[in-house]
Amino acid sequence: GALAHFGISTLSSIFLAIIYTGFFLTSFYAIGYMPRYPRVYSESWINIATAFFVVGMTATVLATSVFVFLVFWEVMSVAAYFLVIADRSEESLKAGFLYFLMTHIGFVALVLGFAVLSSGALFVTFAELELHAAGLSPIALGVAFLLFLVGFGSKAGLVPLHQWLPYAHPAAPSHASALMSGVMLKVALFGFLQILFLMPILPVTWSVIVIAVGLTSALFGILYAATESDLKKLLAWSSIENMGLIFSGVGVVLFLLHFGGTIEQTLLLRGAILFVLLHTVNHFLFKSGLFM
């Protein structure tokens, strides 16, 4: 049945907790926030879009097959678009267009990445995808890896695919901005981590690329945040910085996986994994709270 396409793992349970903690906190905040703007926002519009947004994120995290993952990734993305344009102002519509364009560039990259990894079979489970990946050439794996970095990196706001984030996140109602910046970016991180678990150990070069992209995003984000006067845009630039730090941590984990063996190396690897998880939760709590 339909439930056969969904399952829960240790990784997905962590991100599921983030999604529903964020949903609870932002919903509670919205009770007092929404009545203050009766002429700006349609409450029913935002409630429906938020419901689809949360369902999309939930199903994305729980999906066990490629096609279901892509369908609900798109549900999440389109619902977020309607939250961005919620006040229907000219500025929000422009931000929504930029977001819609960038998110679908990322979506195409994900589809192509899955197509390479599965040899064109998109109706496969992630378990079957792992078997496909094990038989691919290093070149095919490298192409797939770069496509996934583009696809998930564009949603996470990594440089140079970050352009939409400082415009789209501030345009939404504050509780929706909290969900987008505090939670949706983590779903992109989840997708990237899930793919990494499915792929064979990649060359050290790829881990260096992730570290470089992450640190560049962190530096770029904090420099722009330091010069920004609009508070919500400042928080959006800060999210680019923090997601850059988290992805650089993921790159360090990939790097250390190549050099396991001694006690010191094992401790370093565990420390890097702990950093990624701790800063993921840290950014979720603080960024959601700051937007509210």
Side-chain angles (χ1 to χ4, degrees):
L3 290 178
H5 296 286
F6 300 96
I8 194 163
S9 64
T10 302
L11 183 66
S12 63
S13 63
I14 294 170
F15 286 87
L16 205 61
I18 289 174
I19 291 169
Y20 278 93
T21 302
F23 181 45
F24 172 77
L25 293 175
T26 55
S27 297
F28 188 75
Y29 175 83
I31 294 171
Y33 175 82
M34 288 302 296
R36 294 164 61 187
Y37 302 97
R39 294 176 182 165
V40 178
Y41 300 117
S42 165
E43 192 165 347
S44 58
W45 169 292
I46 290 175
N47 287 342
I48 291 170
T50 302
F52 275 99
F53 187 46
V54 173
V55 167
M57 290 192 293
T58 302
T60 297
V61 167
L62 294 176
T64 57
S65 67
V66 171
F67 183 74
V68 171
F69 179 92
L70 289 172
V71 167
F72 284 101
W73 178 274
E74 185 68 356
V75 170
M76 171 187 74
S77 300
V78 173
Y81 166 77
F82 286 108
L83 290 172
V84 170
I85 65 167
D87 67 3
R88 300 176 182 83
S89 68
E90 184 178 350
E91 187 178 350
S92 294
L93 291 172
K94 287 180 179 177
F97 174 76
L98 182 59
Y99 164 74
F100 198 81
L101 178 66
M102 293 303 298
T103 200
H104 283 91
I105 290 172
F107 182 73
V108 170
L110 290 182
V111 172
L112 292 174
F114 280 119
V116 172
L117 208 59
S118 65
S119 302
L122 292 177
F123 294 91
V124 294
T125 65
F126 284 117
E128 292 169 331
L129 190 66
E130 186 174 8
L131 295 175
H132 276 287
L136 289 179
S137 68
I139 293 176
L141 283 174
V143 169
F145 180 79
L146 290 176
L147 286 167
F148 285 124
L149 184 59
V150 169
F152 292 118
S154 65
K155 184 70 75 182
L158 297 183
V159 173
L161 302 166
H162 65 287
Q163 293 95 333
W164 63 274
L165 199 149
Y167 299 98
H169 285 200
S174 288
H175 64 291
S177 295
L179 269 181
M180 291 176 68
S181 195
V183 180
M184 183 177 72
L185 303 188
K186 309 306 177 297
V187 176
L189 172 66
F190 166 82
F192 190 61
L193 291 175
Q194 186 177 45
I195 289 302
L196 291 180
F197 286 145
L198 297 179
M199 298 179 80
I201 297 295
L202 294 163
V204 176
T205 311
W206 303 122
S207 61
V208 174
I209 289 173
V210 177
I211 294 170
V213 170
L215 291 179
T216 301
S217 300
L219 180 62
F220 201 82
I222 199 60
L223 288 176
Y224 270 82
T227 61
E228 184 58 68
S229 58
D230 183 295
L231 186 57
K232 289 183 81 174
K233 285 188 176 182
L234 184 154
L235 294 177
W237 282 112
S238 173
S239 289
I240 293 170
E241 177 225 354
N242 281 279
M243 291 308 295
L245 291 175
I246 292 169
F247 269 77
S248 66
V250 173
V252 171
V253 171
L254 291 176
F255 185 84
L256 292 173
L257 282 172
H258 292 272
F259 305 104
T262 67
I263 295 175
E264 291 82 2
Q265 288 164 339
T266 303
L267 288 174
L268 279 173
L269 178 59
R270 289 178 179 176
I273 293 170
L274 182 62
F275 165 79
V276 170
L277 293 176
L278 182 63
H279 199 46
T280 296
V281 175
N282 170 53
H283 181 252
F284 152 63
L285 290 173
F286 279 86
K287 195 51 57 72
S288 297
L290 286 167
F291 264 111
M292 292 186 286

